[in-house]
Amino acid sequence: MRVSIRAAIAVALLVGFYVLAFGLIGGLLALETYALINRPFVGLKLALFVVPVVFALAKGLISLERRTQDEVPGTLVTPADQPALWDLVRRLAQDVGTRPPDEIRILAAVNAGVAEDTRFLGLRVLKRRMFIGAPLLTSLTEKQLIAVLAHELGHYANKDTRLAGVVVSGRNAMLRAGSHMDAEHWFQRMIAKLFLAYAKLYLRVSQAISRRQEFAADRFSATLAGSSAAASALRELPVIDAAWDLFTERHLTVAWELGYLPTTFFDGFARLRTSPELHEKLEEIRQHPSDPDRGPYDSHPPLQDRIAAIEALNAEPESGWGDRPALELLADPMPLLDAAVLNTLVSDAAAKERVDWATLSHIGARARVVHGTERLLNAAAEAMDQPPSLTTVLAALDAGKLADLGSYEPGNQQAGARARREMARGEVLPELSALVALAFSDAGLAHWELDWLGRTTFVTSSHDFDMADHLEAAVADHGSTSGLRTALAVAGVAPDYRPAH
């Protein structure tokens, strides 16, 4: 079947969606009216079914068309704010043969796209928006960004098919079909299933069109930016995505949970992407990019197929595009990019303390070490019936309660005293070492560092900081904590020291 015919069928299905819904409403109301006129008692009983179903259908149609400001993510940038970015997007729109967006918004996500605010399942367009991910602006070259944006605008290019934009908007609208229904009401649940079944039919019919559009959009990408830049952009997107996931999960999320945020976000992200410890991992992703799982109705062909098709075009870029970092398109970029991240956070972000990355590294690493000492502190408190503190741990060791500070399964209680001490020693020694390191750190004699992979390192400013012998003596059979206590006292550690969370 020719794609133009499929597109026409897809648009007909969009119209048919409303025909189906209004037809059901009209038919049920006609049936109810007939029953009330000819059999009033039957009509009243029938109303118990008709009214909820009509209400559910009407609610589904209305909610499908409703938009709220909360649904529009990202930080809005105007032509006055970012003239170079707007000039680029307008030129790209002209080159691919479509109208430019009405808005450009910067997202804290590894994504770019064009979305339309529509009515009637995409048949009427009210506003077109372009979304550009802040991580892309900090990671791509100008040509690579052009390739990404040209691809997104190419979905709506009149040169491809005049029905293409309607099909794209229709797919987006159909994916929302029935999403506002209340699953607790069986009438609405039933209508939601009807909407979903129709949506699946539409997505199946339009999938071939959408996949062809992806290849067509890639041709625009290669024609404008060149095959080399377009292919490298597709290879780079999974790399940026992996780096951004690592950045948010191991650094921003940890900072948030501890009550902190970095003073600036993207200088840290830039350092993460270029860090030596991540080079090999990111290069492996770059050389062997893989497709994310977008579900059975995804319109994207396999990434490797798209890259191969782009490289086969062997297209040269249009003149005038540069190889400079895409970030140079922005005026005063860092406040804008950081605002994009803050806009994705909940309202209490303002209550978080803002610190530089070095301080945040120490805070994050320290928090991990603190968590690793909680078991030992609680075990000592139980063994000595005293508050949990470093002094309580040392008192338990001096009292010969090493075995009681270990954790072991009940079945191991039958082991001999020596075996229990050996098991406990292997567990207590590293935890005590961490607790002592925390004491020296909190006394200002050392600090923790967290690398971009999330690994912690203890860094001391003292050349004489070597506690190994004191720690070994503290957990030895018939050992003593006196050396360790002396070193702690010299460092100014309080007798009841316990690491604050």
Side-chain angles (χ1 to χ4, degrees):
M1 184 185 296
R2 292 178 55 197
V3 171
S4 58
I5 298 176
R6 275 188 177 270
I9 293 174
V11 173
L13 284 173
L14 290 176
V15 176
F17 187 89
Y18 281 95
V19 171
L20 172 65
F22 283 114
L24 285 172
I25 292 173
L28 289 171
L29 291 178
L31 178 63
E32 177 64 23
T33 300
Y34 176 83
L36 287 172
I37 293 174
N38 294 280
R39 303 282 296 275
F41 182 71
V42 174
L44 289 174
K45 291 197 296 183
L46 185 62
L48 297 174
F49 170 77
V50 170
V51 171
V53 173
V54 169
F55 173 78
L57 284 166
K59 180 180 178 181
L61 290 172
I62 293 171
S63 63
L64 190 61
E65 297 300 328
R66 184 182 298 138
R67 300 290 186 275
T68 65
Q69 192 63 30
D70 291 339
E71 293 178 357
V72 183
T75 300
L76 179 67
V77 293
T78 67
D81 297 330
Q82 300 295 337
L85 180 62
W86 268 95
D87 288 346
L88 173 66
V89 171
R90 284 168 172 161
R91 177 179 168 183
L92 291 175
Q94 182 179 8
D95 287 347
V96 302
T98 188
R99 68 180 182 86
D102 303 297
E103 292 180 0
I104 295 179
R105 290 176 173 268
I106 308 301
L107 297 170
V110 184
N111 192 21
V114 175
E116 293 184 329
D117 193 359
T118 65
R119 294 293 183 269
F120 309 117
L121 291 177
L123 296 172
R124 181 189 173 198
V125 178
L126 301 180
K127 182 176 286 188
R128 178 179 288 183
R129 297 183 177 92
M130 171 169 276
F131 298 95
I132 306 175
L136 303 183
L137 290 164
T138 63
S139 307
L140 298 177
T141 66
E142 183 178 6
K143 282 183 182 177
Q144 288 173 327
L145 181 66
I146 286 166
V148 171
L149 300 185
H151 173 94
E152 299 304 330
L153 289 165
H155 285 303
Y156 299 88
N158 293 329
K159 296 174 185 176
D160 185 18
T161 169
R162 293 185 179 276
L163 299 178
V166 176
V167 173
V168 171
S169 297
R171 282 181 67 87
N172 294 335
M174 279 293 185
L175 289 171
R176 297 191 304 269
S179 61
H180 298 281
M181 296 295 209
D182 188 348
E184 293 184 1
H185 294 81
W186 77 270
F187 292 109
Q188 295 188 35
R189 189 165 61 246
M190 178 184 67
I191 299 304
K193 289 181 179 180
L194 176 65
F195 280 11
L196 180 61
Y198 198 99
K200 287 181 178 179
L201 172 63
Y202 176 82
L203 293 172
R204 288 293 187 192
V205 170
S206 64
Q207 189 169 42
I209 307 166
S210 297
R211 293 210 163 196
R212 176 187 169 96
Q213 285 178 307
E214 290 294 334
F215 283 117
D218 283 340
R219 284 196 295 274
F220 283 114
S221 176
T223 301
L224 295 179
S227 289
S228 177
S232 67
L234 286 182
R235 288 192 176 95
E236 199 65 23
L237 291 178
V239 176
I240 302 171
D241 194 37
W244 184 251
D245 284 346
L246 184 67
F247 180 69
T248 54
E249 291 173 8
R250 297 194 185 179
H251 298 280
L252 291 187
T253 300
V254 171
W256 179 274
E257 291 174 349
L258 295 172
Y260 296 89
L261 283 175
T263 50
T264 58
F265 293 94
F266 280 93
D267 60 340
F269 181 58
R271 291 204 296 268
L272 179 144
R273 289 194 65 248
T274 58
S275 62
E277 59 262 32
L278 279 177
H279 174 76
E280 185 175 345
K281 177 181 179 181
L282 296 182
E283 187 61 28
E284 174 68 17
I285 296 172
R286 184 177 291 112
Q287 296 303 320
H288 304 284
S290 60
D291 294 280
D293 183 9
R294 298 189 181 95
Y297 302 107
D298 178 37
S299 64
H300 293 78
L303 188 59
Q304 295 287 10
D305 291 354
R306 294 174 61 193
I307 292 173
I310 286 173
E311 291 179 333
L313 292 173
N314 198 27
E316 293 296 324
E318 284 193 357
S319 61
W321 306 130
D323 288 317
R324 61 178 176 168
L327 195 63
E328 294 184 13
L329 288 165
L330 300 179
D332 195 15
M334 288 308 170
L336 169 62
L337 301 180
D338 285 351
V341 176
L342 287 173
N343 284 346
T344 65
L345 303 176
V346 294
S347 58
D348 62 342
K352 304 295 182 181
E353 184 177 348
R354 306 295 290 273
V355 296
D356 59 46
W357 276 104
T359 303
L360 192 60
S361 171
H362 167 72
I363 291 170
R366 181 186 179 280
R368 293 191 177 191
V369 179
V370 168
H371 180 72
T373 63
E374 290 176 348
R375 192 210 63 79
L376 176 61
L377 287 165
N378 293 332
E382 182 177 354
M384 300 300 292
D385 193 22
Q386 295 177 9
S389 70
L390 176 55
T391 299
T392 302
V393 174
L394 298 181
L397 292 171
D398 284 338
K401 294 181 178 291
L402 173 63
D404 296 328
L405 299 184
S407 62
Y408 42 81
E409 297 296 327
N412 288 335
Q413 292 182 10
Q414 303 304 318
R418 181 177 180 83
R420 289 180 58 191
R421 285 198 305 272
E422 289 302 320
M423 287 188 292
R425 195 185 334 272
E427 190 172 16
V428 171
L429 180 58
E431 294 176 345
L432 179 61
S433 299
L435 186 57
V436 170
L438 283 168
F440 275 79
S441 172
D442 290 350
L445 301 176
H447 67 276
W448 297 93
E449 291 182 355
L450 185 72
D451 72 11
W452 294 114
L453 281 173
R455 299 173 300 193
T456 59
T457 303
F458 183 62
V459 180
T460 175
S461 58
S462 171
H463 297 293
D464 299 326
F465 186 87
D466 186 359
M467 305 296 294
D469 291 342
H470 296 320
L471 292 166
E472 291 282 356
V475 299
D477 290 341
H478 310 297
S480 172
T481 66
S482 60
L484 188 53
R485 289 177 185 271
T486 300
L488 292 169
V490 171
V493 176
D496 60 347
Y497 172 78
R498 181 185 181 185
H501 287 271

